[in-house]
């Protein structure tokens, strides 16, 4: 008789009545919400969306949905994972109660959008103030402004929903416009300032939509970006877009607000003389990598004196970048010497082509934020009503931002987890298992001391307690 050995131990599975917690790591986020006084803030701004006598208040329901989305849930029904552990997550509303809540939101979508925006701004202001000189507002200057990325994306749906239309990629769904704040290289990831749902057939190059989402994003910035008279300090902000944001109407709007901009630009058809000038790399300077090191196979140049810009805002300059074609890339008119030439426009007060090029190319970081935002709930819109899906997009944004704020305000500077994306937090921290016990009349969660991120979880709880203590004593500055 032959005995075989399996890949893994074959263990019988049984049920138990012990207080086991499948997402014990989420207690760090619940602690952060409690320290913020989120229940009171949400009741103040969203209390009108629940009956006065209702047991489940809007703040708790929104917090539960945000925790569910942050931990990987995709539907309202996924809150049942929280409902099984009331000792950790408190009483969680039923699916029917959540359904009635979204029905009320759909009846007054504009009121909810405004109330939720003011709620999120207050939370952001408190957390940015708490981190002192690490705050994106404190670090923003004319030479190194806060970067706001604006980009459109596609969300495909597989059933007929209100507002869903055919997309340019021959899909069906929505084309939300998203505005994001980039913390900058070495300062973590960044956060989402505003999400505006749009039908799938809306173009990415709409100046009106860019202006609209920018207005929402600017309204989210704390008071540090406004002077004593309430006027925006535009020189501390730079708006960065792809070529869809290079319309003259949008750039003139930025100029009128006093904002800096850096936007990709579709080069016009060139003539033979211009192509020859591009090939003369002696006029160019070496490009830099994201870490400031010289690249020997890429060049940049200020081409403002060669390419005339007509009807653009005063002070707009054009910069070119040349680098070898990537494998499999198809050559065009500009690629006569085997190099791909791209361009961007800017009105920044800095004139170093290589540094401006590095800052503009960092726009690729926003693609990672959009990917994480979709993983946080934007990628699967569960409702038929357009207003309900807009509210869901707002919740997804808050779930994404809550993790970002945890990295910014709670983690020590330069901690390795400060650059983790949402999916890594889910796998390594939120999914950490625990056991709820009570000793000396004090409930606590036990986690495996050998778990890879057990020390990180303990560190987060310790620093959240310190943060809550500072808020109670009125000491916001770090």
């Amino acid at each position: 008789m032959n005995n075989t050995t399996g890949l893994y131990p074959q263990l019988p599975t049984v049920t138990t009545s012990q207080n086991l917690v499948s997402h014990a790591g989420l207690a760090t986020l619940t602690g952060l919400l409690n320290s913020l006084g989120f229940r009171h803030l949400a009741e103040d701004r969203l209390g009108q969306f629940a009956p006065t006598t209702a047991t489940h208040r809007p703040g708790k329901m929104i917090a539960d949905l945000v925790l569910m989305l942050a931990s990987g849930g995709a539907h309202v029904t996924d809150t049942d994972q929280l409902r099984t552990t009331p000792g950790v997550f408190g009483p969680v509303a039923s699916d029917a109660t959540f359904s009635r809540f979204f029905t009320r939101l759909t009846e007054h979508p504009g009121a909810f959008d405004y109330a939720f925006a003011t709620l999120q701004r207050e939370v952001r202001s408190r957390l940015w103030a708490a981190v002192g000189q690490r705050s994106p507002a404190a670090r923003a200057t004319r030479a190194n402004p806060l970067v706001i990325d604006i980009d459109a994306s596609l969300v495909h749906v597989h059933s007929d929903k209100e507002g869903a239309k055919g997309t340019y990629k021959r899909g069906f769904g929505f084309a939300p416009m998203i505005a994001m704040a980039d913390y900058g290289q070495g300062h973590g990831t960044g956060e989402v300032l505003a999400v505006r749902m749009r039908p799938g057939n809306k173009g990415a190059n709409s100046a009106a939509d860019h202006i609209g989402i920018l207005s929402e994003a600017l309204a989210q910035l704390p008071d540090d970006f406004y002077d004593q008279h309430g006027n925006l300090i535009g020189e501390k902000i730079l708006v960065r877009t792809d070529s869809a944001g290079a319309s003259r109407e949008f750039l003139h709007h930025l100029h009128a607000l006093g904002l800096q901009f850096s936007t990709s630009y579709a080069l016009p058809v060139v003539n033979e003389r211009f192509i020859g000038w591009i090939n003369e790399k002696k006029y160019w300077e070496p490009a830099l990598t994201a870490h400031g090191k010289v690249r020997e196979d890429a060049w940049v140049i200020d081409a403002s004196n060669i390419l005339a810009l007509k009807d653009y805002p005063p002070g707009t300059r054009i910069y070119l970048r040349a680098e070898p074609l990537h494998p499999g890339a198809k050559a065009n008119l500009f690629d006569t010497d085997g190099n791909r030439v791209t361009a961007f426009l800017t009105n920044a007060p800095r004139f170093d082509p290589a540094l401006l090029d590095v800052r503009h190319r960092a726009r690729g970081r926003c693609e990672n934020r959009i990917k994480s935002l979709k993983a946080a709930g934007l990628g699967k819109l569960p409702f038929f009503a357009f207003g309900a899906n807009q509210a869901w997009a707002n919740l997804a944004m808050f779930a994404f931002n809550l993790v970002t704020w945890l990295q910014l305000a709670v983690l020590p500077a330069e901690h390795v987890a400060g650059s983790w994306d949402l999916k890594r937090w889910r796998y390594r921290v939120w999914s950490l298992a625990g056991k709820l016990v009570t000793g000396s009349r004090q409930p606590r969660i036990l986690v495996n001391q050998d778990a890879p991120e057990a020390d990180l979880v303990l560190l987060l709880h310790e620093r959240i307690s310190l943060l809550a203590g500072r808020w109670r004593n009125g000491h916001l500055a770090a």
Side-chain angles (χ1 to χ4, degrees):
M1 180 177 180
N2 294 327
N3 293 323
T4 59
T5 302
L7 289 173
Y8 303 99
Q10 297 183 5
L11 304 175
T13 302
V14 297
T15 59
T16 180
S17 59
Q18 298 184 58
N19 288 325
L20 305 180
V21 186
S22 61
H23 288 79
L26 279 178
T28 55
L29 293 183
T30 64
L32 181 59
L33 288 170
N34 283 337
S35 68
L36 285 165
F38 187 76
R39 178 187 292 273
H40 174 73
L41 287 175
E43 185 65 29
D44 180 54
R45 289 161 174 78
L46 303 172
Q48 69 269 30
F49 296 102
T52 305
T53 58
T55 301
H56 298 284
R57 306 307 303 167
K60 181 59 165 62
M61 287 192 286
I62 286 177
D64 289 339
L65 291 169
V66 166
L67 291 176
M68 177 271 295
L69 290 172
S71 61
H75 302 278
V76 173
T77 54
D78 290 333
T79 53
D80 58 0
Q81 291 280 29
L82 309 180
R83 197 176 293 116
T84 57
T85 319
V88 178
F89 302 109
V92 178
S94 66
D95 294 343
T97 301
F98 280 118
S99 178
R100 290 192 294 270
F101 179 60
F102 275 97
T103 298
R104 287 190 290 271
L105 300 186
T106 305
E107 294 172 350
H108 308 281
F112 177 78
D113 286 349
Y114 177 77
F116 192 87
T118 58
L119 170 66
Q120 183 171 237
R121 184 183 187 274
E122 178 62 27
V123 172
R124 176 178 292 108
S125 298
R126 291 191 179 191
L127 287 166
W128 283 21
V131 298
Q133 294 305 309
R134 291 179 58 197
S135 165
R139 290 187 284 105
T141 64
R142 183 170 181 266
N144 294 289
L146 174 72
V147 176
I148 296 180
D149 288 304
I150 298 179
D151 202 359
S153 187
L154 295 178
V155 176
H156 298 286
V157 298
H158 303 284
S159 62
D160 188 18
K161 298 179 184 291
E162 184 181 6
K165 300 291 183 180
T167 70
Y168 74 95
K169 288 189 175 181
R170 299 183 180 181
F172 182 76
F174 299 91
M177 189 75 79
I178 307 166
M180 299 152 279
D182 189 342
Y183 290 166
Q185 189 75 22
H187 296 286
T189 55
E191 60 190 75
V192 180
L193 298 174
V195 179
R196 182 52 49 193
M197 297 295 296
R198 304 185 305 160
N201 59 357
K202 292 285 287 185
N205 59 348
S206 169
D209 289 344
H210 276 80
I211 292 172
I213 195 68
L214 175 64
S215 298
E216 294 185 39
L218 295 178
Q220 283 294 306
L221 297 180
D223 292 338
D224 304 77
F225 289 94
Y226 296 85
D227 61 22
Q228 59 183 350
H229 303 293
N231 299 316
L232 181 69
I233 308 176
E235 64 179 12
K236 295 172 61 175
I237 302 169
L238 180 140
V239 178
R240 187 170 58 189
T241 74
D242 57 12
S243 58
S247 66
R248 291 176 176 82
E249 180 182 354
F250 181 56
L251 296 185
H252 276 286
H253 177 74
L254 298 179
H255 175 74
L257 294 176
L259 300 174
Q260 300 182 43
F261 59 81
S262 180
T263 176
S264 298
Y265 180 68
L267 285 168
V269 177
V270 296
N271 55 36
E272 184 177 351
R273 177 184 176 186
F274 182 55
I275 292 176
W277 175 77
I278 287 178
N279 292 339
E280 290 290 339
K281 292 301 183 295
K282 65 181 181 181
Y283 300 113
W284 299 55
E285 65 177 84
L288 301 177
T289 66
H291 301 288
K293 296 182 179 180
V294 175
R295 279 194 58 176
E296 297 181 355
D297 58 347
W299 306 267
V300 292
I301 193 172
D302 184 346
S304 303
N305 294 329
I306 305 299
L307 287 174
L309 296 173
K310 186 178 180 181
D311 297 331
Y312 281 91
T316 301
R317 307 184 305 279
I318 180 170
Y319 290 86
L320 303 183
R321 176 188 175 92
E323 60 184 334
L325 285 170
H326 298 293
K330 185 177 180 180
N332 57 33
L333 284 174
F334 292 93
D335 305 326
T336 56
D337 61 347
N339 289 318
R340 170 60 47 85
V341 178
T342 55
F344 67 94
L345 305 177
T346 184
N347 65 345
R350 303 176 65 168
F351 289 86
D352 189 324
L355 293 178
L356 293 173
D357 174 68
V358 168
R359 183 167 68 183
H360 183 72
R361 286 173 57 82
R363 202 192 71 82
R365 289 160 54 92
C366 79
E367 300 296 340
N368 292 330
R369 286 191 289 274
I370 292 176
K371 179 185 69 175
S372 293
L373 180 62
K374 289 183 176 181
L378 184 64
K380 182 174 286 187
L381 303 170
F383 301 102
F384 169 78
F386 186 87
N389 284 325
Q390 176 64 62
W392 185 263
N394 290 336
L395 294 176
M397 170 176 56
F398 196 89
F400 172 87
N401 286 340
L402 189 62
V403 179
T404 301
W405 292 329
L406 185 78
Q407 294 171 298
L408 174 68
V410 180
L411 278 178
E414 306 301 330
H415 193 284
V416 64
S419 60
W420 287 1
D421 64 6
L422 177 61
K423 289 187 176 181
R424 189 167 189 184
W425 278 97
R426 286 174 177 171
Y427 186 75
R428 300 191 65 86
V429 181
W430 309 151
S431 61
L432 187 66
K435 182 178 180 180
L436 185 63
V437 300
T438 302
S440 301
R441 300 183 180 180
Q442 180 66 39
R444 60 178 62 87
I445 298 177
L446 302 180
V447 297
N448 186 351
Q449 63 181 5
D450 296 325
E453 305 304 338
D455 290 340
L456 174 59
V457 171
L458 296 180
L459 174 66
L460 291 173
H461 279 293
E462 177 184 356
R463 292 181 66 88
I464 287 173
S465 297
L466 293 174
L467 189 64
R470 286 168 46 209
W471 270 322
R472 284 195 298 269
N473 296 322
H475 303 302
L476 289 180

